[in-house]
Amino acid sequence: MIICENLLFSHGAELQNYIPGEYIFKEDNTPKYYLQIKSGTVKLSSFLEDGKEFIHGIPFDGHCLAETYLFHDKKYAVNAIAITDCNIIRLEKTKLMEMLKEKPELFFKMYSYTADRMHYRYIIAAPFSFQDPLAKLHLIMNHVKSHFGFKEKFSYPIPYTRQQLASLTGMRIETVIRTIKKMEKQELVRIDGTKIFI
């Protein structure tokens, strides 16, 4: 977790519950709260002109949502939508700022979290400009695996559905399915039922 839950609650945070498919915030909403996931999984996404959804990230327990928006006056450029039942801790922006003044070391924790997300963006930016579906999927899968400290071959079950992988990479679901089969033939992944192991 980014900020200790007890600390958030002691500064006036409240727990909000969301069901799958429910919006936590929408694009063009004004950011008013620091949001941290107590439990559940959320997708940060945008809808393109053709109606397709592009997923920017899938944060889960302990992660915070779009916290950088609390440090300027811009409106959200993405949507946050619950994928599973979610418990979200929310703290008013003004109370967060008071807490950060009291405990400036929390700035470093938040900045470190943001830096980690930027590192991911830099890693995937160049390969995503290429059209090779296998390279895109392999990159995302390896990044998630290494993030959680798994090293052995086929030791990590990818936590995303094929549809989520399609939305994360901007590819069609059919392309993802074909590419995963190709990856299995090349022994880059192992398939067990619906699970993908890398």
Side-chain angles (χ1 to χ4, degrees), residues 123-134:
I123 285 174
I124 67 167
F128 268 42
S129 65
F130 301 110
Q131 296 302 312
D132 182 20
L134 195 147

Side-chain angles (χ1 to χ4, degrees), residues 1-15 34 36-39 61-63 87-91 99 106 109:
M1 82 187 68
I2 308 306
I3 300 177
C4 171
E5 293 176 3
N6 290 338
L7 185 61
L8 290 169
F9 287 124
S10 72
H11 282 76
E14 55 189 12
L15 194 62
Y34 170 78
Q36 186 168 294
I37 304 170
K38 181 175 176 61
S39 64
D61 305 16
H63 289 255
N87 294 311
I88 309 286
I89 301 167
R90 81 176 191 184
L91 179 67
M99 185 175 68
L106 292 175
K109 282 193 81 172

Side-chain angles (χ1 to χ4, degrees), residues 153-176:
K153 194 170 185 179
F154 308 139
S155 62
Y156 181 71
I158 297 299
Y160 306 133
T161 66
R162 284 152 178 80
Q163 180 60 60
Q164 289 168 341
L165 286 168
S167 297
L168 278 165
T169 56
M171 295 190 289
R172 293 166 38 112
I173 181 80
E174 297 82 5
T175 304
V176 168

Side-chain angles (χ1 to χ4, degrees), residues 120 123-128 134-144 183:
Y120 167 73
I123 285 174
I124 67 167
F128 268 42
L134 195 147
K136 289 181 182 181
L137 284 174
H138 202 229
L139 186 73
I140 281 195
M141 290 179 185
N142 274 325
H143 176 76
V144 175
M183 292 172 77

Side-chain angles (χ1 to χ4, degrees), residues 141 144-145 148 150 152 154-159 196-198:
M141 290 179 185
V144 175
K145 178 181 178 177
F148 287 103
F150 288 81
E152 297 297 317
F154 308 139
S155 62
Y156 181 71
I158 297 299
I196 305 163
F197 290 84
I198 189 162

Side-chain angles (χ1 to χ4, degrees), residues 181-197:
K181 286 178 182 173
K182 186 176 179 182
M183 292 172 77
E184 184 181 28
K185 284 179 185 172
Q186 294 180 15
E187 297 186 357
L188 297 172
V189 298
R190 181 171 57 82
I191 308 296
D192 186 2
T194 59
K195 282 284 182 191
I196 305 163
F197 290 84

